[in-house]
Amino acid sequence: MELLNAFSLPAWIAIAGGLGLLIGSFLNVVILRLPERLLYVWKLEAHDLLEPPGGQQDGPAPSNETPASKPPPGIVREPSHCPVCAHRLAVVDNIPVLSWLWLRGHCRYCQAPISVQYPLVELLTALLSAVVIWRFGVSLQGLLALFFTWILIAAAGIDLRTQLLPDNLTQPLLWIGLLAALTNVFVHPQAAILGAVFGYLSLWSIYQLFKLLTGKEGMGYGDFKLLAALGAWMGPVALLPIVLISSLVGAVVGSIFLAVRGKERSAPIPFGPYLAIAGWIWLLAGSNLLHWYLGLFLRP
């Protein structure tokens, strides 16, 4: 308690921003490496499942190379390295944002360009972390909202790059939301359970209806799980506003993205990032937005 009182709220906001820079650097690793690790595991499991015991099978002989021959780097233990020249990066090459600016967006060793994703994710994580502490203060709500924010950034980044929403991120988000409800941090347990159930079933029903009418899959199961997790954190009342906000943001940003990239409107666009944006907005400002919206119709 004395430690919490040792700093003013502006100081804690600055500390959260600095911590966000460091966490953002780690989230970049998660965004880039987790999909590769998952793909490696899936290939390895498929190889073990399809390769019969004793190596006997019909058809052409399988390749001697297995997925285990080229395991991708781990997320935590493997040191950072240049993806082009594989040179291990020094500590000074890993300073959030500053290293990218100092190196002018190029590898120190091979001069290969470094994606602008690195400083953008670090800055975004710092900014959103600072906003979270400004909104909730140094409290249990603030700490859980930081975790919520960081998971959403990683999930949205992965979905943007690969159109995957890994269970490794959506499931912990769901369970932490349900556990937080035991002490009524954001909602009570009944609201959290109903939010999770209705969140999953709502998008699942839309998916099944769209597939029945068109024969195509309009979204992935990861979207169902992400909305279920958001429902666990904020309850069923938040689901409709989250879907509406995410659809509005997705329509605007998606159209701009397709126009800039010159792609057809039939090109698949990940929905997870828009759900993440809408969920984060509603967690921090949902009550204010709801009161403002109702006030438009309830004024005398």
Side-chain angles (χ1 to χ4, degrees):
M1 208 55 192
E2 295 180 358
L3 178 61
L4 297 181
N5 296 328
F7 300 97
S8 62
L9 180 58
W12 281 115
I13 293 174
I15 292 172
L19 177 62
L21 286 174
L22 298 177
I23 296 297
S25 181
F26 174 71
L27 293 183
N28 271 317
V29 176
V30 174
I31 291 170
L32 293 173
R33 295 187 183 182
L34 180 57
E36 293 183 357
R37 296 291 301 179
L38 292 175
L39 184 60
Y40 163 72
V41 172
W42 295 336
K43 287 183 176 180
L44 192 62
E45 291 175 347
H47 180 272
D48 292 341
L49 179 64
L50 298 175
E51 185 74 18
Q56 297 180 356
Q57 66 175 26
D58 297 330
S63 171
N64 292 329
E65 183 177 354
T66 66
S69 304
K70 297 180 180 179
I75 296 176
V76 178
R77 295 183 179 181
E78 298 288 340
S80 298
H81 61 275
C82 173
V84 177
C85 67
H87 196 289
R88 182 171 178 176
L89 302 183
V91 175
V92 294
D93 299 326
N94 276 320
I95 302 174
V97 180
L98 294 180
S99 291
W100 189 88
L101 293 174
W102 178 258
L103 297 172
R104 298 181 180 180
H106 289 80
C107 174
R108 179 193 302 273
Y109 309 99
C110 68
Q111 297 303 308
I114 303 173
S115 173
V116 73
Q117 171 193 311
Y118 291 93
L120 287 182
V121 169
E122 291 162 356
L123 288 172
L124 178 65
T125 308
L127 175 62
L128 298 190
S129 298
V131 172
V132 163
I133 297 302
W134 169 78
R135 170 65 177 84
F136 295 112
V138 184
S139 61
L140 181 57
Q141 276 190 329
L143 294 177
L144 287 173
L146 284 177
F147 172 82
F148 178 86
T149 300
W150 298 338
I151 292 293
L152 288 185
I153 291 174
I158 291 174
D159 201 15
L160 278 173
R161 288 177 56 89
T162 65
Q163 297 186 18
L164 293 173
L165 277 173
D167 289 349
N168 308 58
L169 298 178
T170 56
Q171 289 187 359
L173 191 66
L174 169 66
W175 293 114
I176 295 298
L178 292 174
L179 290 174
L182 293 177
T183 54
N184 300 325
V185 177
F186 295 104
V187 294
H188 56 78
Q190 183 179 4
I193 295 172
L194 291 176
V197 173
F198 291 158
Y200 187 92
L201 291 180
S202 59
L203 288 188
W204 179 85
S205 300
I206 295 173
Y207 165 88
Q208 295 295 344
L209 180 61
F210 183 83
K211 187 175 181 180
L212 179 64
L213 294 176
T214 66
K216 301 178 181 179
E217 297 183 356
M219 62 183 68
Y221 277 68
D223 297 322
F224 315 160
K225 298 171 186 177
L226 178 57
L227 188 58
L230 297 178
W233 281 75
M234 291 168 276
V237 176
L239 294 176
L240 181 58
I242 287 174
V243 172
L244 291 177
I245 294 173
S246 60
S247 299
L248 177 61
V249 174
V252 175
V253 177
S255 298
I256 295 174
F257 174 81
L258 292 177
V260 171
R261 294 292 183 91
K263 295 185 177 181
E264 298 181 357
R265 291 191 176 274
S266 59
I269 299 176
F271 190 50
Y274 309 122
L275 282 175
I277 292 172
W280 189 85
I281 291 174
W282 200 258
L283 182 73
L284 270 72
S287 57
N288 294 332
L289 291 174
L290 184 61
H291 291 157
W292 169 79
Y293 179 77
L294 293 177
L296 294 177
F297 301 95
L298 298 180
R299 290 177 181 175

